[in-house]
Amino acid sequence: MSNSDTILDLAAQVGKALQDKGLILATAESCTGGGVAQAVTEIAGSTGWFDCGFITYSNASKTEMLDVSAALIAQMGSVSEEVAAAMASGALGSSNAHIAVSTTGIAGPTGAVPGKPVGTVCFGWANADTVHTERLVFSGDRRAVREQTVIHALQGLLRFIN
């Protein structure tokens, strides 16, 4: 199965899980540039379970659109589990969604910093009660890192919903 087939299959599974539980999704994306939102809106009927997506590529947009503290970004870096958590929570607060996913990372080929090589991605999955985060390092070129990030975000959503 190609990555695009895997992404569509996962997006369909996410849609069914959200629909079965009566939940609405929002996304907050940086390194994926809207790839998660694009994947879920490929699914017919997604209007019933997808509210909106925020593409907050700059630190300023994370603060302005998602209410991520500028001090938190300065202290932890935009690629951190703490910022991923704040992005997911901010997406909930700025939407009508019940559940949100966030992605922030270094897709490459540049942007690495000490302790955060190219391919480092932080994820957040949030609902009204809890936020779960993960930090992974993917390999490959920019496109590969972004595809792997979308796949992992969707897989994480499935676990988080169920």
Side-chain angles (χ1 to χ4, degrees):
M1 188 181 279
S2 74
N3 276 350
S4 57
D5 289 340
T6 299
I7 289 169
L8 281 178
D9 182 60
L10 285 167
Q13 290 179 54
V14 166
K16 181 174 182 349
L18 289 165
Q19 193 166 26
D20 288 351
K21 296 195 183 286
L23 299 174
I24 306 293
L25 173 67
T27 61
E29 303 179 67
S30 185
C31 64
T32 45
V36 178
Q38 180 181 357
V40 298
T41 58
E42 285 285 331
I43 307 306
S46 55
T47 189
W49 45 266
F50 181 71
D51 183 45
C52 62
F54 299 89
I55 302 171
T56 54
Y57 213 69
S58 71
N59 290 342
S61 67
K62 289 173 181 66
T63 299
E64 292 162 13
M65 297 173 71
L66 299 175
D67 203 28
V68 177
S69 159
L72 180 69
I73 294 171
Q75 179 183 2
M76 305 308 298
S78 59
V79 179
S80 62
E81 288 183 67
E82 294 82 358
V83 168
M87 288 172 65
S89 295
L92 287 180
S94 298
S95 71
N96 296 309
H98 307 107
I99 190 167
V101 59
S102 65
T103 61
T104 182
I106 306 165
T110 62
V113 296
K116 296 178 187 176
V118 168
T120 301
V121 180
C122 295
F123 298 85
W125 297 273
N127 61 26
D129 302 319
T130 188
V131 181
H132 177 75
T133 62
E134 287 182 20
R135 177 185 188 267
L136 297 175
V137 180
F138 297 113
S139 60
D141 63 11
R142 183 177 181 82
R143 181 176 178 178
V145 168
R146 288 165 53 115
E147 283 182 344
Q148 291 170 85
T149 301
V150 171
I151 289 168
H152 190 76
L154 293 169
Q155 290 170 334
L157 268 174
L158 282 175
R159 288 190 300 271
F160 196 73
I161 294 164
N162 296 317

